Amino acid sequence: MRYEFRVTGRVSTPLADTFPELDRASVPRQTLFFGTVTDEAHLYGLLARFQDLGLHVEEMRRLPD
Amino acid sequence: MPTSGFPAGTEGFPAVTEEGKGSHAGHTPGRRPVGTATEAALAWSGDPLLTSKVSVPVLPGTCVPRQRLLDRLSGGVNGPLTLVSGPAGAGKTTLAVSWAHLTTPPGPVAWLTLDTDDNAPGVFWSYVLEAFRRALPSLPATIGTPTSPDSIGRSLLVRLASAVEHLPHPVVLVLDDMAKAPGREVSKGLGFLLEHAGPQLRLVLIGRVDPRLPLHRYRAEGRLTEIRGADLTFTPDEAATLLRQHDPATTDSTVGTLTSRTEGWAAGLRLCALAMRKSGDPDGFARSFAASEHAVADYLLAEVLEVQPAATRKLLLRTSILDQVHPELANALTGRQDAEEILARLVREGAFVEPVADTRWCRFRPLFAKVLQAHLRSRRPGLAPRLHGRAARWLADAGRPAEALGHATAAGDWSYGAAEAVRNLMVGSLLAGPDEDRLPALFSRMPDDTPGVEPALVAGACRLAGRDLEGCRERLTAAERFMNSGSTPLGPEAGLTHALLKLLCESYGPESGATPGAAAEAMARNAGHMTARVAGGRTEEHPELTALRLHGLACALLRSGRLDDARRAFTDAVEACADDATHLVLHASFGKLALTESAVGALTAAEDHAVRSLTVADRHGMPPARRSGAGHLALAALSFERDDPRTARHHLERAMASPDAHDDPVMVAESAVLRSRLELTQGRWEAALTALGDPGQPPMTWPAERLAVARSHAVLAHGDHEAAVAALHGGDGDGPALTVALAHAHLAAGRIDRARRLLAHADRSHRSSLVDHVRIRLLRARIAMLGDDPRAAHAPLAQALDAARPEQLRRPFTEAGPWLRHLLERADGEDTSRLSRSWLSTRCPDGPRTPAFVEPLSGREREVLACVARMLSTNEIADELHLSVNTVKTHLRSVYRKLCVSRRREAVELGKELHLL
């Protein structure tokens, strides 16, 4: 399953590096994280990690494989 | 000064218990390896860090009183459940803390701050209980304490709910950071408490995610007050108050800019305040912040971190690997000496860390540790493991070995971690409780080829705890190899750990490499010597070591058939179990003691001890995988000896559900023997033989002897006396039970003289038990009858009856055969008072016997059971007793649990049998 997460604001490298399994791209006022999510445990783990780092997930969607 | 003397209405109690200073004044940290969440929960250590977990935190120095929220919370606490939720740094905890300090709560406040380690139900509930106890010193001690981290008994929650229900005043329970304990079991228990504790319980849940409770239902019923993220955001007025605490000159437009950019996020505003002051140009900062596209937390943290002096930055990054920061520990990690001042300043600024009341420790605010860890990884890759290693050594020196272990294993420094575990004698608590799950979890990633004595010992202990005896033996062999080749001298702790593991491993193990009692005694003595060599009375703080040693010895003695010695050793083991830190070995020792006693015919004592064994397991909510089946097996055996096969079958089934019923040689044999005898009562002699398994030719240890006797009984039931004799000639055993069985077989073959000689021999044995004694007398009576001399049969029969009566030992009489019935009937007319055989046929001559379950039924439960017996449905019972359907179901469930049944019919049958109906 591939997912995309849209996080508010630009995320600095040290924080982005805590998601080594995700690629990232910057768009105006947002940072996109995307990549393969193994299963739901992984998905919820990622969301918890965003939250732990004070990052705000505005939108999340599944990408076509 | 704990809150004593409550209930004085809402006046006169401090909302904040002052950390229980008085009750823990005498504690010197490091006397015992305590300090982890798990361990402390089980035997409260009085550690100030843990005390702070279960006390209302101190009011932060920089705190904006937000009256609208305080009022909402006060309103919520008038009802049963209040939820405070929002993102990290939203000010949830600060709100609850200031509420507890600045307003008048409706009753004492019990507070629990959860950590990530607390998601195991047992740990969670022991903290909740401790929090309650601090707020309510009058709470009855009979509620008990869970000792297994994995589960708690439902009965504990029932006792807690009922204690709270009967309080004369409300009590507020605040659970901070519920997200750290997300387990289903925890939520279920919390829901149960909420439903059953009555209106006195006021629960406040604080967390980032919604708890797993039926919130929609509570909401619909109007029992839930919610204070959510949107409510917690700072209004421009509140933001102005906060920012002006830091810099009185902040302009309105700056406040407006920052409030909208941070969306009123409390942690963000606080960071803004710090960054502004450091930059020296508040308005310029606000403008550049507003124009930035960076994530708020990220931008502010980077900004704040960058403007910190280098020393502060280093300290923040390096201590981010810790849950809690101590100035000296911080010095150890930075290699500097200025942590004290830096931390004091950070606490004053109130952004990154908060103090832990009454200690020199600080705690990171939730958001920052993770962010700082990320920065640490990116700036100094590879440094984190080294820091963990350093922290481990500092913590070990500071007498916090349990935390030291956590860091040593996080550093992957297995040799050091294992050496610490062994040096602090932590292996015993792994086998005796209460630390049974922590060590295996920590060391689960340790590679098998980690060199050294201690890693091998720790790995061996973990395997023994998981009942992998083969694996344990293999690791012990590895440890011995290292011992023999080692150049460094071995500490006495390692010697003791090794001796103990060896003894236990051999005593529990299967037949191969059988340890006769004498060898086990030598091993136990060796372990005793080792104990004496451990310096400074430290072993006195570890009663579990003695208990385990005695238990291991007793198991070996039991296996070699030295029942009297085994009985004494089990009794000693039970006595050595002085505190709650030994519940596993206490449970097992009581069970095995009961088994030993039932085998020799001390049925009353056996029943007593079996029930105690089950009670220990129940009170500590022991998970099934940790339970010993010995208690149930003893109950099964003694019920059978009392001629109650139905109860015997029931307990045998329960015993077979435990892991040790399948690998402990004594228990394997005993359960097979019992199953075989139960089959015989139904006349199925083939099934009885099958139950005993393949005879083989094992050495005649006690279990093998028991199997041989049972086998000879089974074939004798079929009339095959030659096979019965052959079954008993498997080895060189000469126990009285074996001799009696042989006499029985020869008698059946008509060899009366031979039988008589064997009986005389058995009777002279000093090892003969009550069961043997009764059987010998009965066989003598039988011989007299065969000699057509009924008068001569009366004397031995009377002796048998007299001996068997105190223990209600009926089975030998039932098994003796029809001739006995005739004899008894004839004897009736002659000497009734002398023979007094009425107890043989009447059940429960001394009134209803204490039934063999753990708790008696309550009045309500009996009423519900009576209704069930009348075939009423759940709904009808609810109508009849004016209860809700759910309450009836709850009562029914607890009836099932107490009677150990799963169906209505079984409950009714057993209820009748036990005279409950």
Side-chain angles (χ1 to χ4, degrees):
Chain A
M1 305 184 286
R2 285 178 58 75
Y3 273 85
E4 178 192 87
F5 305 87
R6 285 180 173 260
V7 170
T8 314
R10 213 170 281 155
V11 177
S12 69
T13 316
L15 289 207
D17 283 348
T18 56
F19 301 91
E21 69 269 56
L22 299 181
D23 293 324
R24 56 187 171 268
S26 285
V27 297
R29 313 207 72 88
Q30 280 185 333
T31 305
L32 264 57
F33 287 89
F34 48 89
T36 305
V37 172
T38 321
D39 56 10
E40 291 207 1
H42 186 193
L43 177 63
Y44 289 114
L46 283 172
L47 289 174
R49 258 145 77 199
F50 284 122
Q51 206 186 24
D52 280 343
L53 298 169
L55 299 177
H56 181 58
V57 178
E58 282 184 21
E59 190 185 337
M60 163 187 116
R61 67 190 181 105
R62 183 147 175 209
L63 300 173
D65 287 316
Chain B
M1 176 187 62
T3 55
S4 55
F6 200 80
T10 52
E11 296 286 311
F13 65 87
V16 192
T17 64
E18 286 183 30
E19 327 304 342
K21 281 180 226 160
S23 51
H24 298 291
H27 176 75
T28 32
R31 264 182 353 111
R32 262 196 74 149
V34 289
T36 65
T38 313
E39 217 167 356
L42 309 165
W44 198 260
S45 68
D47 185 317
L49 272 182
L50 294 158
T51 298
S52 76
K53 263 180 85 79
V54 287
S55 316
V56 183
V58 287
L59 195 61
T62 54
C63 159
V64 182
R66 300 158 82 189
Q67 198 56 46
R68 63 184 172 101
L69 293 174
L70 295 178
D71 292 345
R72 287 275 301 272
L73 192 49
S74 291
V77 169
N78 284 328
L81 180 61
T82 310
L83 182 67
V84 184
S85 71
K92 307 181 288 293
T93 307
T94 311
L95 169 65
V97 171
S98 50
W99 172 80
H101 284 272
L102 303 176
T103 69
T104 312
V109 177
W111 182 289
L112 170 57
T113 305
L114 288 156
D115 286 309
T116 334
D117 298 338
D118 306 344
N119 52 2
V123 177
F124 175 82
W125 285 106
S126 51
Y127 278 132
V128 170
L129 279 166
E130 183 60 28
F132 267 128
R133 291 218 169 93
R134 282 172 192 241
L136 302 162
S138 58
L139 207 67
T142 47
I143 292 173
T145 315
T147 27
S148 160
D150 270 349
S151 68
I152 57 152
R154 172 52 57 98
S155 57
L156 185 129
L157 288 184
V158 174
R159 290 190 291 268
L160 176 61
S162 134
V164 172
E165 192 176 7
H166 290 103
L167 285 175
H169 50 78
V171 59
V172 183
L173 173 63
V174 184
L175 297 177
D176 191 8
D177 215 348
M178 266 305 284
K180 297 279 177 63
R184 172 168 316 201
E185 280 301 308
V186 167
S187 313
K188 247 169 67 184
L190 211 52
F192 178 88
L193 189 66
L194 207 54
E195 287 302 317
H196 293 86
Q200 300 294 30
L201 178 69
R202 314 288 165 83
L203 193 57
V204 178
L205 299 181
I206 305 178
R208 283 193 282 162
V209 267
D210 279 4
R212 274 204 247 191
L213 291 171
L215 294 180
H216 60 283
R217 218 181 68 215
Y218 299 147
R219 201 177 289 134
E221 292 165 357
R223 295 158 69 199
L224 170 66
T225 303
E226 291 163 281
I227 301 174
R228 294 202 165 261
D231 307 310
L232 288 166
T233 55
F234 274 63
T235 63
D237 281 350
E238 289 165 344
T241 316
L242 187 148
L243 292 170
R244 284 183 184 131
Q245 279 179 351
H246 292 263
D247 181 1
T250 316
T251 62
D252 283 348
S253 81
T254 304
V255 170
T257 313
L258 297 182
T259 312
S260 69
R261 177 75 171 95
T262 58
E263 297 178 334
W265 182 43
L269 285 167
R270 200 162 276 131
L271 285 173
C272 281
L274 278 181
M276 256 161 40
R277 197 166 56 188
K278 291 274 154 56
S279 72
D281 173 16
D283 296 330
F285 167 79
R287 273 195 306 278
S288 77
F289 176 38
S292 157
E293 286 206 331
H294 277 90
V296 172
D298 195 7
Y299 177 82
L300 288 172
L301 272 165
E303 196 78 359
V304 173
L305 208 56
E306 282 322 311
V307 297
Q308 297 290 341
T312 308
R313 219 156 52 214
K314 187 172 183 182
L315 178 136
L316 283 172
L317 289 178
R318 290 183 168 227
T319 54
S320 66
I321 60 152
L322 306 168
D323 297 328
Q324 271 133 353
V325 191
H326 190 276
E328 281 162 30
L329 175 53
N331 282 336
L333 294 183
T334 57
R336 302 170 57 98
Q337 292 301 323
D338 50 6
E340 186 97 54
E341 305 103 77
I342 295 177
L343 283 170
R345 188 170 54 76
L346 288 173
V347 165
R348 261 199 319 279
E349 287 174 350
F352 287 99
V353 291
E354 53 198 0
V356 175
D358 288 345
T359 67
R360 290 172 71 199
W361 294 81
C362 303
R363 194 181 279 151
F364 274 108
R365 283 181 176 270
L367 179 63
F368 303 125
K370 290 279 170 20
V371 179
L372 292 171
Q373 281 165 23
H375 281 276
L376 174 68
R377 263 197 304 276
S378 95
R379 290 184 196 189
R380 298 293 305 274
L383 182 60
R386 292 214 301 281
L387 292 173
H388 276 297
R390 236 187 267 175
R393 280 159 181 80
W394 187 90
L395 287 162
D397 290 345
R400 311 185 74 89
E403 284 158 65
L405 269 194
H407 284 289
T409 50
D413 194 346
W414 304 113
S415 307
Y416 178 74
E420 270 305 295
V422 170
R423 201 170 64 76
N424 287 291
L425 299 170
M426 288 163 114
V427 165
S429 60
L430 163 70
L431 297 167
D435 225 5
E436 66 255 35
D437 293 300
R438 208 181 107 80
L439 277 186
L442 282 177
F443 284 94
S444 61
R445 286 182 302 114
M446 178 166 73
D448 261 357
D449 54 2
T450 310
V453 177
E454 287 96 347
L457 288 177
V458 170
C462 291
R463 287 182 195 173
L464 184 61
R467 302 202 66 81
D468 172 10
L469 297 169
E470 218 22 73
C472 174
R473 237 176 247 133
E474 181 196 301
R475 296 323 296 158
L476 285 181
T477 314
E480 283 152 25
R481 233 180 9 251
F482 287 117
M483 279 177 185
N484 295 333
S485 68
S487 46
T488 47
L490 209 56
E493 293 90 356
L496 172 56
T497 306
H498 174 257
L500 203 56
L501 289 177
K502 185 103 183 146
L503 171 68
L504 289 170
C505 187
E506 294 301 327
S507 311
Y508 296 159
E511 295 286 342
S512 65
T515 312
E521 274 174 301
M523 279 199 241
R525 251 199 316 277
N526 181 25
H529 292 321
M530 294 287 185
T531 310
R533 282 179 53 205
V534 175
R538 281 174 56 219
T539 47
E540 279 165 36
E541 288 155 20
H542 293 273
E544 73 274 9
L545 296 176
T546 309
L548 281 168
R549 171 160 56 88
L550 292 165
H551 179 78
L553 173 63
C555 285
L557 290 171
L558 176 60
R559 200 170 80 178
S560 57
R562 289 167 52 186
L563 302 191
D564 283 340
D565 295 336
R567 204 165 157 184
R568 262 193 298 279
F570 279 126
T571 311
D572 292 346
V574 162
E575 268 163 25
C577 293
D579 61 10
D580 270 354
T582 47
H583 63 278
L584 285 177
V585 65
L586 183 63
H587 164 68
S589 284
F590 265 136
K592 283 271 183 74
L593 178 58
L595 200 59
T596 315
E597 279 162 341
S598 77
V600 299
L603 304 188
T604 315
E607 183 168 27
D608 228 38
H609 288 132
V611 169
R612 268 183 217 167
S613 167
L614 300 185
T615 310
V616 170
D618 181 63
R619 186 176 310 139
H620 295 307
M622 224 174 265
R626 295 276 176 188
R627 286 190 191 223
S628 160
H632 276 295
L633 193 54
L635 287 173
L638 71 92
S639 308
F640 187 80
E641 292 291 7
R642 285 184 174 152
D643 206 14
D644 181 1
R646 198 187 170 285
T647 311
R649 218 168 266 128
H650 163 75
H651 283 295
L652 180 59
E653 242 166 67
R654 305 260 301 174
M656 295 317 282
S658 68
D660 61 347
H662 303 277
D663 58 15
D664 182 304
V666 168
M667 290 183 51
V668 169
E670 285 301 291
S671 52
V673 166
L674 197 57
R675 213 170 316 121
S676 163
R677 296 180 74 186
L678 280 166
E679 292 292 354
L680 278 187
T681 61
Q682 316 257 320
R684 292 195 288 261
W685 71 272
E686 278 152 318
L689 265 185
T690 317
L692 295 169
D694 178 31
Q697 286 294 328
M700 261 298 177
T701 55
W702 190 65
E705 190 181 305
R706 301 276 288 177
L707 286 170
V709 169
R711 190 168 292 116
S712 104
H713 275 255
V715 286
L716 209 54
H718 176 52
D720 188 349
H721 34 73
E722 290 317 316
V725 171
L728 295 164
H729 282 296
D732 52 358
D734 64 343
L738 212 60
T739 317
V740 173
L742 201 56
H744 190 186
H746 282 302
L747 190 60
R751 296 188 279 266
I752 292 178
D753 283 343
R754 185 107 186 241
R756 199 179 273 135
R757 273 203 305 280
L758 284 165
L759 286 177
H761 177 68
D763 211 11
R764 279 195 301 273
S765 167
H766 61 280
R767 283 164 60 199
S768 67
S769 67
L770 176 67
V771 180
D772 299 327
H773 183 80
V774 169
R775 284 190 196 284
I776 291 170
R777 301 283 157 316
L778 284 175
L779 286 174
R780 288 222 167 113
R782 174 75 178 136
I783 289 173
M785 290 294 282
L786 288 173
D788 213 14
D789 185 2
R791 294 205 146 270
H794 283 157
L797 177 59
Q799 286 165 359
L801 282 166
D802 280 349
R805 188 177 51 221
E807 301 288 359
Q808 308 284 311
L809 180 67
R810 297 192 189 86
R811 195 68 211 164
F813 298 89
T814 322
E815 279 177 358
W819 61 270
L820 181 65
R821 210 167 43 245
H822 297 307
L823 181 61
L824 283 169
E825 274 160 16
R826 255 187 286 168
D828 228 11
E830 296 187 12
D831 200 354
T832 320
S833 62
R834 172 88 181 80
L835 292 178
S836 60
R837 60 182 190 88
S838 57
W839 65 270
L840 257 189
S841 44
T842 336
R843 284 286 163 75
C844 310
D846 316 318
R849 284 207 51 81
T850 317
F853 53 78
V854 180
E855 287 169 75
L857 297 190
S858 72
R860 262 298 191 229
E861 285 159 358
R862 272 168 196 255
E863 282 174 35
V864 170
L865 185 59
C867 291
V868 172
R870 284 161 50 208
M871 308 290 281
L872 297 185
S873 74
T874 307
N875 285 322
E876 288 165 340
I877 298 175
D879 285 346
E880 171 118 359
L881 298 178
H882 305 290
L883 296 171
S884 81
V885 171
N886 273 330
T887 311
V888 171
K889 283 182 179 161
T890 307
H891 283 310
L892 260 181
R893 267 199 300 278
S894 85
V895 168
Y896 289 173
R897 184 182 55 77
K898 288 177 175 179
L899 296 181
C900 310
V901 298
S902 52
R903 300 206 158 76
R904 286 177 169 229
R905 228 188 73 191
E906 290 173 61
V908 171
E909 278 176 10
L910 199 57
K912 281 184 180 147
E913 199 162 301
L914 298 169
H915 304 283
L916 297 171
L917 289 172

